[in-house]
Amino acid sequence: DHRHGQQAAAFRNLLLAAQVAFSLVCLVTATMFFRGVQRAYNIDPGFQSKHLALLVMNPAQAGYSEARVNEFYRRAHDGVANLPGVATASWASGLPFWNTPSRSVLIEGAEQRLKSAGIPSVVITVDPDYLAATGIPLVEGRSFRDSDDGASLPVAMINEALARQHWPAGNALGHGFRLAGEPAVRQVVGIVKNANYTTLGEPAQPCVYLPLRQNFEGGMVLYVRSRQDPASVLPGVQRAIGDLDSNIRITDVRTGAKLIEQVLWGPRVGVALLGVFGSLALALASVGLYGVM
């Protein structure tokens, strides 16, 4: 019996030591994750999230024709851009971090192993003020103009990842490519800095920007860059949209800061859970250690 008691005590001590070790591992891991999340807030997403508001709407769902939708885009842009506290506004397809490679790009005249192979790329439709609204720098060439419409030469902007991958000599401007399913060859008129399209801190991936006047989209996101806190201009922007057309609903409203918070929601929840489990395990181990002593 004495020997069995000693074995039981040794087993209890072993379990207690394992519990203390587990709790410390959880707490140390939580601390490391917390520092990683803190560093993630300093990652440059490639666009300026500060002073940025985003409003999602889909005029085509109201049953409007393409011409009427385009007219709404023009009037809403001009009206919002002239509101007090608004620096600039722009239309773009999709929210930041909600874009994935959706179209294949066929390079015209570029050296590649398989001429027929497409390059999966993120494709975003934007209007001429997109770069000013997002703060994405233009590296070479020009941004879109109002004259880039259906009657003019099909054009596009690409990011540095696509330009460097297929035109390493730095001569991407003026070259052409086709999007899968699109017969027209688009000419590269501008090269922009890489941005994060799918998640924060992602490896650079190819991206193509198309002018809104050459690529109709029934649903778009209005990017509004404010001079101060974007929350101060959102009520005025929403009123302006409602006064312009009460049939078009704003289905989602976010700020750039809120977007960053949402992207980091998973890691932050993981840190919280690790911290809770580690603290509970340490508390239980402390009670057990007290009982042993």
Side-chain angles (χ1 to χ4, degrees):
D1 290 341
H2 178 69
R3 185 171 59 187
H4 286 304
Q6 287 181 328
Q7 290 176 345
F11 183 68
R12 286 197 302 271
N13 292 340
L14 179 62
L15 286 179
L16 182 60
Q19 193 172 18
V20 172
F22 173 75
S23 64
L24 291 177
V25 168
C26 285
L27 291 174
V28 170
T29 305
T31 301
M32 295 175 63
F33 269 92
F34 177 73
R35 290 178 178 174
V37 171
Q38 282 185 315
R39 288 193 296 269
Y41 278 97
N42 296 322
I43 293 176
D44 180 11
F47 64 93
Q48 297 176 9
S49 59
K50 191 176 181 181
H51 297 168
L52 184 64
L54 305 110
L55 300 93
V56 182
M57 56 198 88
N58 193 329
Q61 286 184 344
Y64 292 172
S65 65
E66 180 175 333
R68 190 171 179 183
V69 171
N70 286 330
E71 177 65 11
F72 169 78
Y73 287 153
R74 184 188 64 79
R75 295 178 61 193
H77 170 274
D78 294 345
V80 170
N82 290 319
L83 289 175
V86 173
T88 188
S90 171
W91 289 104
S93 60
L95 292 163
F97 307 120
W98 287 67
N99 298 292
T100 56
S102 59
R103 302 279 294 275
S104 291
V105 173
L106 304 173
I107 304 296
E108 295 289 319
E111 293 183 3
Q112 51 185 351
R113 294 178 182 175
L114 294 174
K115 293 286 184 179
S116 60
I119 308 140
S121 303
V122 173
V123 178
I124 305 174
T125 300
V126 302
D127 74 10
D129 292 329
Y130 177 76
L131 296 184
T134 58
I136 297 177
L138 179 67
V139 179
E140 289 184 67
R142 66 171 177 87
S143 182
F144 295 140
R145 303 167 179 159
D146 289 337
S147 58
D148 293 322
D149 55 21
S152 63
L153 175 72
V155 296
M157 295 188 297
I158 63 175
N159 68 346
E160 289 181 306
L162 184 56
R164 290 175 178 172
Q165 181 178 354
H166 297 283
W167 293 282
N171 59 343
L173 289 179
H175 279 81
F177 68 86
R178 290 188 300 108
L179 290 173
E182 185 178 88
V185 175
R186 292 186 176 273
Q187 186 182 76
V188 177
V189 296
I191 301 173
V192 304
K193 280 279 189 182
N194 296 329
N196 291 168
Y197 310 105
T198 306
T199 188
L200 192 63
E202 67 185 18
Q205 57 180 323
C207 180
V208 175
Y209 298 90
L210 305 179
L212 176 58
R213 297 190 177 206
Q214 292 183 351
N215 192 61
F216 173 74
E217 295 278 355
M220 295 286 276
V221 179
L222 183 61
Y223 285 58
V224 180
R225 177 153 299 283
S226 61
R227 302 186 191 280
Q228 301 296 331
D229 184 356
S232 63
V233 302
L234 276 175
V237 172
Q238 290 171 301
R239 281 195 303 270
I241 297 297
D243 293 342
L244 181 62
D245 195 325
S246 59
N247 293 323
I248 296 178
R249 294 178 56 247
I250 299 173
T251 57
D252 194 2
V253 178
R254 309 187 191 193
T255 63
K258 183 67 175 178
L259 274 175
I260 300 296
E261 289 285 339
Q262 291 172 334
V263 170
L264 295 175
W265 181 83
R268 288 190 294 112
V269 170
V271 169
L273 290 176
L274 281 172
V276 169
F277 289 140
S279 298
L280 287 175
L282 185 60
L284 291 174
S286 300
V287 172
L289 183 61
Y290 176 79
V292 170
M293 295 181 64

